[in-house]
Amino acid sequence: MAYSEELIQSLKEKGQLLRRDCIKCIGVGVAGHVGGSCSSADLVAALYFHKMKVDPKNPDWEERDYFLLSKGHVAILQYAALAEKGFFPLEDLPRCKEIGFYLQGHPHLGIPGIEAGTGSLGQGLSLGSGIALGLKLDKKPNRVYVLVGDGETDEGQIWEAAMSSSAKKLGNLCAIIDNNGLQATGAIKDRLPNEPIADKWRAFGWNVIEVDGHNMEEILTALDDAELYTDRPTAIVAHTVKGKGISFAENQAGYHNRALTQEEYDLAMEELA
Amino acid sequence: MAETNQRTVYGQTLVELCHKNKDIVVLDADLGASTMGKMVESDPEISEQHIEMGIAEANMISTAGGLARAGKIPFCSSFAVFAGGRAFDQIRQSIAIGKLNVKICGSSAGCSDFGDGATHQSVDDIAYMRVIPNMNVFVPADANETEAVVRYMAENEGPMYIRVNRNPYDNVTPEGAKFVPGEPVVLKEGTDVAVFACGVMVTKALEAAKALEGKISVKVVNVPSIKPLNRESVVKIANSVKGVVTAEEHSVIGGLGGAIAEALRLEKKPIEFVGVQDRFGASAHNYNDILEYLGLTTDSIIKAVEEISSKA
């Protein structure tokens, strides 16, 4: 399917907007998940600003699609998308992690638009699988999207969920793997290597689509193609760059969760403009 | 005679509830023949409400969380050591933090799976379920009470854990009695020592009270709701006697004994615990053998009551 230049351009801009929101929220001198937020930003932009049916005025709308952030540590990215959509005020973003405030450091049920509490890696796909199974039992057409970190696929439960979701023929479930190759302390290949990641999902009975996770046209095509497979779930393996858009943070595991200096902050905001 | 096996009643009650409410789903991890989830699976009218999740308990629990988000009322059953122990993090993270409407059945709990030995005997599940915020923990005394608890679980919102015995024994609570969460139930009046007991140990507490008749007046208190537990009720009962004994088929650390001691922390009442003494179970040829091996007997309760009575 062809997408208009206008749509592609506007979604790219949304991706950059979400990155700027994240950096603004992280600010100076306090650790925040810079790297993984920037690698996932285009994927999240494509979902919230184009693909998914959601209603900010009615977060529990029965016809909505579901998005679960299994890599819950980049909560700020999802909060930014929800705030930009109007689920809650943009001014609330910088107050994330404030004591007693509703925006916690990881997605928490009760926040408008959050579908599941995540943070203990490996559980979000099972939760999404359960929602998809419930929708299927009720013969509802809603779709479920789960964003999974590539490092997170070292968790055994991901593969339990992968087996289970294909066994239950959950065509309404789409996992998106943010494949940036890095985790908190370095390269995945030097820790518990997970490659060949696409082959693994295929072997578990999933429809697999590989994309450049920063190429909006490829992302949109994959999200649309996923719907053609009604008898099995789809895994979109999105090849991404950790810290995408911020020169000094790109492909640097050190910026997984780190405080920015004023100089770094200014440069990041300039580059993301 | 009424059914006397808790897991049979668990299955029968779920079958009845599934017929009435199509949103109830029953999940098993390849142990449906033991948990009695198979009763749902083998009823053609409701077989779609049984979901076989395979040997993957962690995924079963988180999937149940998703099902709850989609409006279902999932009952997840496995042996207690797996349903609660293996999936502890999933219960904590996927279910309890978000107060999801997921029901977990720790089946073949305590030492009731006598033959399989330490790996299959839960001496710690009450403790690790009780400590999770938002989690409710229920330990029915018998089959009759199991039915009441399962009905309550299906009809009320929130994460709940029920501990179910594998083996049949005579009912000690009346059929059809209403289950009230938080409330201990006095089964036999007495004025010297109160024995707070749960599960199979309620039966043994009643036997101990009978054996001590004429010597020590024992009040027998069934505690099917370990959490919530109404502190005022526990204090009131404790203050009607001179001393307290707790009895459970579980470690003396963190279970019923712990909960009662917490409730009585300001009361200056002597307390003695009957339970598993910080050890694992072992294989046995029958249920009684393992209960005796671990000191979970009528005699242990009698001794504890005598000791408390002499101190009070």
Side-chain angles (χ1 to χ4, degrees):
Chain A
M1 192 191 290
Y3 305 95
S4 73
E5 265 307 308
E6 213 180 336
L7 174 68
I8 298 290
Q9 194 52 36
S10 89
L11 290 175
K12 276 184 182 174
E13 283 169 17
K14 290 289 189 203
Q16 286 294 81
L17 174 66
L18 295 183
R19 289 187 179 94
R20 284 200 300 281
D21 285 341
C22 289
I23 298 303
K24 260 196 251 176
C25 175
I26 291 166
V28 173
V30 181
H33 286 93
V34 176
S37 296
C38 289
S39 67
S40 298
D42 296 313
L43 303 164
V44 169
L47 287 167
Y48 274 105
F49 297 98
H50 174 70
K51 188 66 196 172
M52 289 199 306
K53 285 169 78 176
V54 290
D55 180 0
K57 299 284 168 277
N58 183 12
D60 297 328
W61 181 35
E62 283 225 348
E63 290 174 40
R64 74 189 184 280
D65 294 323
Y66 292 72
F67 174 79
L68 285 78
L69 186 68
S70 197
K71 47 175 285 190
H73 48 281
V74 302
I76 187 63
L77 174 66
Q78 189 179 8
Y79 296 166
L82 290 169
E84 291 289 353
K85 287 292 285 187
F87 280 82
F88 47 79
L90 264 172
E91 304 86 78
D92 285 356
L93 284 184
R95 295 186 62 194
C96 177
K97 299 189 193 178
E98 200 176 292
I99 184 82
F101 197 59
Y102 72 100
L103 296 179
Q104 297 204 22
H106 284 81
H108 193 74
L109 272 176
I111 298 172
I114 294 295
E115 302 289 3
T118 51
S120 182
L121 292 176
Q123 300 188 19
L125 187 59
S126 301
L127 282 158
S129 179
I131 294 173
L133 182 56
L135 293 166
K136 188 178 171 175
L137 287 171
D138 288 341
K139 300 183 172 55
K140 289 181 176 167
N142 321 43
R143 293 186 63 75
V144 181
Y145 298 93
V146 183
L147 184 59
V148 179
D150 54 354
E152 185 183 5
T153 64
D154 282 354
E155 294 280 7
Q157 190 180 345
I158 288 289
W159 303 105
E160 291 184 9
M163 267 189 284
S164 177
S165 304
S166 73
K168 309 291 184 209
K169 303 189 192 317
L170 300 179
N172 53 352
L173 176 65
C174 178
I176 303 167
I177 294 88
D178 180 355
N179 205 43
N180 63 37
L182 298 174
Q183 58 190 87
T185 59
I188 297 169
K189 67 177 170 49
D190 297 332
R191 281 155 180 75
L192 185 55
N194 60 358
E195 291 290 353
I197 191 77
D199 288 346
K200 283 198 174 89
W201 289 95
R202 220 169 270 125
F204 277 77
W206 289 55
N207 170 45
V208 176
I209 307 171
E210 289 193 68
V211 300
D212 171 347
H214 303 301
N215 181 317
M216 201 50 81
E217 194 158 3
E218 287 188 26
I219 297 170
L220 298 187
T221 305
L223 289 171
D224 284 342
D225 286 353
E227 292 189 43
L228 303 175
Y229 294 82
T230 53
D231 63 337
R232 73 186 84 161
T234 291
I236 297 176
V237 177
H239 300 292
T240 60
V241 174
K242 195 152 184 165
K244 174 74 177 176
I246 304 173
S247 56
F248 58 85
E250 284 196 357
N251 285 316
Q252 300 297 318
Y255 284 87
H256 173 82
N257 182 24
R258 166 156 161 177
L260 299 176
T261 64
Q262 184 67 53
E263 213 173 24
E264 287 176 325
Y265 178 89
D266 293 340
L267 182 57
M269 291 303 281
E270 192 187 315
E271 291 179 348
L272 294 172
Chain B
M1 197 172 90
E3 177 55 52
T4 59
N5 188 303
Q6 295 186 20
R7 56 188 175 124
T8 307
V9 162
Y10 176 75
Q12 287 170 343
T13 310
L14 284 180
V15 165
E16 186 203 317
L17 292 169
C18 280
H19 277 281
K20 285 185 189 156
N21 185 348
K22 290 291 160 194
D23 282 333
I24 294 176
V25 286
V26 178
L27 283 68
D28 269 299
D30 197 38
L31 287 173
S34 286
T35 66
M36 295 299 158
K38 73 166 183 190
M39 289 184 178
V40 175
E41 188 180 19
S42 57
D43 183 330
E45 278 181 46
I46 52 171
S47 60
E48 279 195 4
Q49 284 165 265
H50 184 266
I51 305 173
E52 179 52 61
M53 296 302 295
I55 309 169
E57 293 81 6
N59 182 56
M60 171 171 76
I61 294 293
S62 296
T63 299
L67 285 162
R69 286 289 296 149
K72 301 293 173 189
I73 305 169
F75 278 76
C76 302
S77 324
S78 186
F79 286 10
V81 284
F82 308 132
R86 189 179 182 102
F88 176 83
D89 187 52
Q90 285 70 26
I91 295 172
R92 183 186 189 280
Q93 307 277 2
S94 292
I95 309 299
I97 292 178
K99 287 190 201 174
L100 292 181
N101 195 25
V102 173
K103 320 300 175 184
I104 297 153
C105 174
S107 199
S108 293
C111 305
S112 65
D113 182 13
F114 51 85
D116 282 329
T119 56
H120 285 53
Q121 294 167 355
S122 62
V123 296
D124 42 5
D125 57 315
I126 297 177
Y128 58 61
M129 284 297 105
R130 188 167 83 87
V131 78
I132 300 176
N134 297 334
M135 181 57 72
N136 297 273
V137 179
F138 306 136
V139 183
D142 59 15
N144 281 345
E145 198 163 52
T146 300
E147 179 180 344
V149 171
V150 173
R151 285 185 195 286
Y152 174 85
M153 291 169 79
E155 288 161 8
N156 291 274
E157 277 279 323
M160 300 177 195
Y161 178 78
I162 180 174
R163 189 181 208 238
V164 170
N165 198 302
R166 186 180 179 86
N167 306 310
Y169 55 87
D170 289 347
N171 282 299
V172 292
T173 68
E175 204 175 341
K178 194 172 184 259
F179 169 68
V180 184
E183 289 307 322
V185 185
V186 176
L187 293 183
K188 182 200 161 294
E189 285 297 348
T191 51
D192 293 328
V193 175
V195 180
F196 289 88
C198 64
V200 71
M201 297 307 282
V202 175
T203 301
K204 299 188 187 301
L206 288 164
E207 287 167 6
K210 196 166 186 190
L212 287 164
E213 259 173 29
K215 287 184 274 184
I216 302 171
S217 172
V218 179
K219 181 177 295 212
V220 178
V221 188
N222 172 28
V223 189
S225 176
I226 311 287
K227 187 183 171 191
L229 182 59
N230 187 338
R231 186 176 172 189
E232 278 178 23
S233 302
V234 174
V235 167
K236 196 174 164 193
I237 291 168
N239 284 333
S240 72
V241 292
K242 296 166 198 154
V244 166
V245 169
T246 65
E248 63 197 302
E249 188 190 7
H250 181 274
S251 174
V252 291
I253 300 171
L256 171 68
I260 295 294
E262 287 160 20
L264 297 178
R265 62 191 176 273
L266 298 179
E267 303 307 317
K268 298 190 177 71
K269 283 277 163 196
I271 303 181
E272 187 55 80
F273 297 151
V274 174
V276 181
Q277 300 297 321
D278 195 20
R279 61 193 285 207
F280 288 108
S283 281
H285 286 308
N286 66 63
Y287 189 30
N288 261 340
D289 283 355
I290 183 64
L291 291 176
E292 274 180 29
Y293 182 76
L294 294 170
L296 307 173
T297 60
T298 305
D299 276 351
S300 299
I301 298 174
I302 291 171
K303 280 191 189 112
V305 168
E306 285 173 342
E307 201 181 320
I308 283 293
S309 178
S310 70
K311 280 183 194 165

